[in-house]
Amino acid sequence: QVQLRESGGGAVQPGGSLRLSCAASDPGNIFPLYDMAWFRQTPGKERELIATMTATGSTIYVDSVKGRFIISRDNAQHALYLQMSNLKPEDTAVYYCNNGAGTYMYWDWGQGTQVIVSS
């Protein structure tokens, strides 16, 4: 079972930038085979898929982050990244990573990393 750990969150002013990291403990070396994704969740709302990078390197973003966030991965390091720029207060959330295979295929969720965008 792959274990996920997110980091890099923090408090930033609107217009600022953050880079999130996701480290996958992956003894079976299956990370490279999976589409990987970033999700975010705010209190009282469902977890939202915001960015996906496929196993072959294609990227997909929801409209709300398109042009501001960039997802990338390092398969050798079993790592996933999210470069976030021009942050807005509505980006405030706990951010999680997981595979992009769908609800019944998710690995156990990590603790997430909190992002707060506020002046």
Side-chain angles (χ1 to χ4, degrees):
Q1 172 71 297
V2 174
Q3 294 183 324
L4 302 166
R5 183 175 66 186
E6 301 89 353
S7 62
V12 64
Q13 293 186 341
S17 300
L18 283 173
R19 186 179 191 236
L20 306 184
S21 297
C22 168
S25 174
D26 177 23
N29 195 31
I30 60 173
F31 178 94
L33 304 178
Y34 277 81
D35 298 351
M36 290 298 298
W38 283 98
F39 305 75
R40 65 186 180 188
Q41 188 172 25
T42 55
K45 293 188 176 181
E46 290 190 358
R47 196 168 285 157
E48 175 192 22
L49 171 63
I50 61 169
T52 302
M53 177 167 256
T54 69
T56 56
S58 298
T59 56
I60 307 164
Y61 300 94
V62 296
D63 287 345
S64 59
V65 307
K66 199 175 295 183
R68 301 187 299 121
F69 291 9
I70 299 174
I71 187 172
S72 61
R73 65 193 292 169
D74 183 335
N75 286 336
Q77 298 296 322
H78 297 166
L80 185 72
Y81 304 101
L82 187 68
Q83 178 67 48
M84 306 188 295
S85 303
N86 191 21
L87 283 160
K88 303 176 180 181
E90 52 264 42
D91 295 318
T92 295
V94 180
Y95 285 72
Y96 301 87
C97 64
N98 212 310
N99 69 64
T103 303
Y104 299 104
M105 297 292 291
Y106 290 145
W107 299 319
D108 289 343
W109 294 93
Q111 294 295 310
T113 186
Q114 175 76 60
V115 172
I116 299 172
V117 184
S118 174
S119 55

